[in-house]
Amino acid sequence: MPDVLVLVDHDGEHVHKTTYELLTAARRLGEPAAVVVGTPGTAARLEASLARHGARSVYAAESAEVDEFLGTPAVDALERAAGEASPAAVLVSATTDGKEVAGRLAARLDTGLLIDAVDVDSSRVVTQVVFGGSYTVRSQVTHGMPVITLRPGSFEAEECPVRAEVKELALPPAAPTSCARVTARRGAIAGDRPELTEAAVVVSGGRGVGGAEGFSVVEDLADALGGAVGASRAAVDAGYYPHQYQVGQTGKSVSPQLYIALGISGAIQHLAGMQTSRTIVAVNKDPEAPILDLADYGVVGDLFAVAPELTRQVAARRAAD
């Protein structure tokens, strides 16, 4: 079977859950081959977990300078791995960085690009949600092998233990004058909460939260459920919560097992980023709010009464267990 290249998302010590989802999807198309881009020694630390999830090959694209440049090392690594493996496809997580890498790679390889897929079958036909979530389409490239970005949460990560072969992949020298350089990094403020795009549970607040202080209700429920906190564009634009937690067409796309929307009306922009969630619960005082039409469970009521009670009930059940 042909190789399927998977770009590994990691923090240098641990593989992100989205990569395991990509490896699971890759097995539908061929033999998963993980591409690790990092500083020297990174691939060795990640090899065991990648092999446990089905990566038969691990390409180690390592350099002491790799963290100094934005996107380019990953594009270089995938281009060189594609030259060696002649893969059936390349899979990248549909994050902001992943979409940039995928687009640049497709341009370099002069091949087809499929963005924001939520499913892929053995014939390399992908399912996408397009036009702000208004339509579901099936797409296939007509030129070259596909470069596919897969929306986080679209696949359940499944273990498939194999023996991995590590292959060294030399990166070309960086060209500082033509590459975007990272000059500073800001730490996330999520604390112990899971990363938004990887969380099994997401609790989001909207304009109905009323202000930055109102987000404590959202955070309390998220913490009780062991989930991540999100925000609608309206809440972010109003300054209630930082932009990095925005869920929607111009924010992050999420597909958790459970999505709880507190005080979110359900504008198309927001629905486009969360409508593929497995179960959706909405709390809104407006019975005509569009999000109630999408929700699996809707509560018409004051979120400041409903959410704290739900938090107490969840905490009580966890304590009883």
Side-chain angles (χ1 to χ4, degrees), residues 37-48:
V37 183
T39 53
T42 302
R45 292 191 292 272
L46 306 183
E47 175 193 348

Side-chain angles (χ1 to χ4, degrees), residues 207-300:
R207 190 189 299 275
V209 172
E213 66 283 352
F215 257 86
S216 61
V217 173
V218 181
E219 293 175 333
D220 289 345
L221 180 55
D223 291 342
L225 292 167
V229 174
S232 70
R233 178 175 177 176
V236 169
D237 287 349
Y240 297 174
Y241 221 64
H243 178 267
Q244 69 227 57
Y245 298 102
Q246 180 181 325
V247 174
Q249 194 168 21
T250 55
K252 294 183 177 180
S253 296
V254 298
S255 294
Q257 297 295 316
L258 173 63
Y259 188 88
I260 301 178
L262 302 177
I264 296 174
S265 62
I268 289 295
Q269 197 281 146
H270 185 76
L271 300 184
M274 46 67 69
Q275 65 181 357
T276 55
S277 303
R278 301 296 191 276
T279 301
I280 299 171
V281 177
V283 180
N284 201 293
K285 65 181 180 181
D286 179 6
E288 302 299 323
I291 199 165
L292 294 173
D293 294 330
L294 177 67
D296 298 287
Y297 302 96
V299 179
V300 177

Side-chain angles (χ1 to χ4, degrees), residues 5-98:
L5 299 181
V6 170
L7 179 62
V8 176
D9 284 333
H10 63 88
D11 61 9
E13 298 292 336
H14 305 95
V15 177
H16 293 171
K17 183 171 73 73
T18 51
T19 297
Y20 299 144
E21 297 170 5
L22 294 178
L23 290 170
T24 300
R27 291 200 293 274
R28 292 189 180 181
L29 307 174
E31 298 286 357
V35 179
V36 177
V37 183
T39 53
T42 302
R45 292 191 292 272
L46 306 183
E47 175 193 348
S49 60
L50 293 170
R52 189 167 63 252
H53 287 82
R56 293 189 177 275
S57 300
V58 176
Y59 287 94
E62 298 178 336
S63 166
E65 299 180 337
V66 75
D67 289 337
E68 296 181 18
F69 298 95
L70 189 64
T72 300
V75 179
D76 290 339
L78 289 171
E79 181 184 24
R80 293 203 167 190
E84 289 192 14
S86 298
V90 177
L91 300 185
V92 181
S93 183
T95 60
T96 301
D97 291 340

